[in-house]
Amino acid sequence: MKFTLDDVRSQTYKARDAWWTVFLVDPLAGRLVVGTANRTSITPNQITWGAFLLGLGSAGCFLTADRAWLLAGAVLYHLSFVLDCMDGKIARLKGTGTVLGGWLDYVFDRIRVLVCAIALMWGQYQATGEDLYLLLGIGVVFLDMLRYVDALQIAKVRRQMRRTLKKAYDDSASTGDGSPALPQRLLHDDSDLDAALDLDRDSDLDADEIRLRTLDVVDLQEEFRTRFSWYIGVREWLRDHRVRTHLISGIEFQMAVFIIGPLLGLIVPVTVGAAALLLVFEAAIMYKLWLSSRDLVRALREIQSASAQVQAPAGN
């Protein structure tokens, strides 16, 4: 079977992704996937190893602190990320993905960031003697781990919120036609909540979540949308371009530190700026999650109230 670029786009591209991936990686990675899938027997795990080795090569370039080698390191880091995106695409395209492959990809990503951060900042420290670079190295590693751990925990909290709603939905008293008593005002297609779980590591859904995604679910973004009505237009524009609203995530942070900073020769200001923006967007996610928790409490109260009203005639 010969795969086409349209096959790659339809079967392997995420509905929404980081803007760096959408605009600067997928156009190249998609075409490389077509050639690799059709003309070679290279496996996703082999590509994962290739991406890891390129990442180590990037770290070696950074360690020299020489301007020309910094440029080479930035290019190698980008190519490493392109390969990192290719392994998952080929796995999805050919159906050859494995649990081990996903674990290997995740671990190698974290090691690559760790090694490149140490190499880049240690090289700059050796060249300038400025302690600031040592602090930046620690900060980069800490923020990268914080972002990914936080993403996993947020996904876990959102799944728990969904299960809580499902239980309340199922436990509510049924109306005469057997439908659970749920206020119509609360019914809403919560696609924005679904998009928050579009990372590879969160893509395996259990039966309860699949059921929830096939139903209209309770709107847990009501208060956020009320306070920030302008957000809807921005979100729709980004969605049309396949871009996540979380504009500065772990991916953009890495690319700023290991590509933009070295290319521009502005490692300190770019790293500090990217770190600040990452924290701003992380704070925004936490704020949005807090508002969703308030919506959840209100929704559960209304479900309970609606259930009580349905049961009242029977009690009389």
Side-chain angles (χ1 to χ4, degrees):
M1 176 182 178
K2 291 293 184 180
F3 298 103
T4 67
L5 185 57
D6 286 339
D7 292 331
V8 174
R9 288 169 175 163
S10 62
Q11 298 179 38
T12 73
Y13 282 16
K14 295 176 182 177
R16 280 191 282 176
D17 211 335
W19 63 264
W20 185 281
T21 302
V22 171
F23 297 123
L24 300 176
V25 176
D26 278 349
L28 174 59
R31 288 166 173 79
L32 291 176
V33 165
V34 173
T36 302
N38 288 332
R39 301 174 185 174
T40 75
S41 58
I42 296 175
T43 67
N45 283 352
Q46 289 172 335
I47 295 176
T48 300
W49 274 101
F52 179 63
L53 293 176
L54 278 181
L56 294 182
S58 176
C61 294
F62 289 150
L63 192 59
T64 68
D66 180 78
R67 175 63 176 162
W69 284 109
L70 286 177
L71 297 178
V75 172
L76 284 179
Y77 196 89
H78 183 69
L79 292 177
S80 172
F81 188 69
V82 171
L83 287 184
D84 190 37
C85 291
M86 285 178 60
D87 58 6
K89 287 178 168 52
I90 289 181
R92 289 189 289 273
L93 191 66
K94 290 188 171 183
T96 56
T98 64
V99 174
L100 175 62
W103 175 85
L104 198 66
D105 184 53
Y106 179 78
V107 170
F108 278 1
D109 283 349
R110 306 282 65 74
I111 294 176
R112 178 179 58 188
V113 172
L114 173 64
V115 173
C116 284
I118 293 174
L120 178 63
M121 300 308 174
W122 180 258
Q124 293 300 305
Y125 169 72
Q126 289 286 82
T128 65
E130 296 183 14
D131 293 341
L132 175 60
Y133 287 104
L134 299 180
L135 296 176
L136 286 179
I138 296 172
V140 168
V141 173
F142 171 77
L143 288 176
D144 178 74
M145 293 304 298
L146 174 67
R147 165 58 192 152
Y148 279 90
V149 170
D150 190 39
L152 291 173
Q153 290 303 311
I154 288 176
K156 180 179 179 180
V157 170
R158 289 183 183 278
R159 285 194 293 267
Q160 183 58 47
M161 292 170 73
R162 285 175 174 272
R163 293 190 180 100
T164 299
L165 283 172
K166 177 186 180 299
K167 186 177 187 303
Y169 188 89
D170 290 342
D171 291 347
S172 62
S174 297
T175 60
D177 60 0
S179 301
L182 189 65
Q184 291 296 313
R185 184 185 68 79
L186 294 175
L187 290 176
H188 183 82
D189 179 16
D190 198 1
S191 57
D192 190 59
L193 189 58
D194 288 338
L197 302 177
D198 66 0
L199 300 175
D200 281 344
R201 59 180 176 276
D202 300 319
S203 60
D204 294 328
L205 304 178
D206 59 26
D208 287 348
E209 288 177 276
I210 292 174
R211 177 181 176 185
L212 276 171
R213 290 195 180 199
T214 62
L215 297 171
D216 283 337
V217 296
V218 173
D219 181 5
L220 293 182
Q221 304 293 334
E222 182 179 9
E223 186 169 352
F224 182 84
R225 276 187 274 264
T226 300
R227 295 190 181 194
F228 304 97
S229 57
W230 54 266
Y231 165 80
I232 304 301
V234 174
R235 185 194 65 184
E236 293 304 316
W237 186 90
L238 292 173
R239 179 180 294 171
D240 290 342
H241 292 80
R242 208 167 59 83
V243 176
R244 289 196 303 239
T245 53
H246 189 57
L247 296 178
I248 307 298
S249 64
I251 291 175
E252 288 82 10
F253 177 64
Q254 289 179 38
M255 303 310 149
V257 173
F258 301 124
I259 297 179
I260 297 176
L263 285 178
L264 298 179
L266 300 172
I267 293 174
V268 172
V270 169
T271 299
V272 172
L277 288 173
L278 178 67
L279 290 174
V280 167
F281 274 86
E282 289 302 301
I285 287 178
M286 298 307 298
Y287 176 67
K288 190 175 181 181
L289 187 64
W290 175 68
L291 291 180
S292 293
S293 70
R294 289 161 56 94
D295 286 324
L296 174 64
V297 171
R298 282 194 293 270
L300 292 175
R301 286 174 179 170
E302 292 199 36
I303 292 173
Q304 185 179 29
S305 175
S307 177
Q309 291 177 8
V310 170
Q311 293 176 354
N316 295 333

